[in-house]
Amino acid sequence: MNVDIVVPNQTRYLRLIGNIAEQIAKELETSDYDRDTLAYHLNLVLTEAVANAIEYAGAKSPDETVKVCLSIADREIRIRVFDHGQGFDIAGVPPPDVDQLSERGRGIFFIRNLMDSVEYRQGADGNVLEMRKTLK
């Protein structure tokens, strides 16, 4: 299964993107994950990833787009989020300070903890955050 979505660089589409991931997860056959939990996790990671893409791609550029490619093959979910922003150094993102609860700065932490692998690449054609999760 492959699903490609392109949305304007606007946060009002975050709920739509998260809901699409959630509905796809609910249709998966897996014995290791509760479907509702998996659906919630995919909604969360995709919403956080797209929110970051919008923020770092320049939320003031509503004519720009964010592309999401979600594929499922060989018991693996692969999600790629593409943007054309300035990018960031994912290795330099520290874990959140649990003593200083803030609504910002937790997205990459959630993504790293809920997915099996996370990579971020910057290239001439833009940036891509790639997240993978193996289904057993």
Side-chain angles (χ1 to χ4, degrees):
M1 171 193 307
N2 293 308
V3 176
D4 293 347
I5 306 162
V6 178
V7 294
N9 193 33
Q10 300 171 22
T11 56
R12 67 182 177 167
Y13 295 100
L14 291 175
R15 178 183 276 176
L16 172 67
I17 296 296
N19 285 341
I20 290 170
E22 191 171 322
Q23 291 306 311
I24 289 172
K26 287 182 177 180
E27 297 298 322
L28 295 176
E29 292 184 20
T30 178
S31 59
D32 282 358
Y33 296 102
D34 171 76
R35 285 184 192 181
D36 289 336
T37 301
L38 180 61
Y40 176 77
H41 289 172
L42 290 184
N43 183 333
L44 178 62
V45 299
L46 195 50
T47 299
E48 291 291 342
V50 173
N52 283 343
I54 289 170
E55 180 176 342
Y56 291 103
K60 295 177 183 171
S61 303
D63 294 336
E64 294 287 334
T65 58
V66 174
K67 180 178 179 182
V68 175
C69 297
L70 192 151
S71 62
I72 301 165
D74 298 327
R75 311 296 301 158
E76 181 182 73
I77 300 170
R78 180 175 143 194
I79 303 171
R80 292 175 292 156
V81 177
F82 299 84
D83 70 72
H84 299 283
Q86 65 188 18
F88 68 100
D89 177 13
I90 195 168
V93 177
D97 182 351
V98 293
D99 293 330
Q100 297 287 326
L101 291 179
S102 171
E103 290 194 22
R104 298 186 49 83
R106 298 182 293 179
I108 295 298
F109 174 78
F110 288 138
I111 291 169
R112 284 178 171 152
N113 283 282
L114 296 175
M115 301 302 284
D116 295 331
S117 71
V118 179
E119 295 179 17
Y120 185 78
R121 296 182 298 273
Q122 294 177 278
D125 295 335
N127 311 306
V128 60
L129 176 69
E130 183 172 301
M131 305 169 281
R132 294 176 183 253
K133 186 161 197 74
T134 301
L135 302 173
K136 299 173 184 162

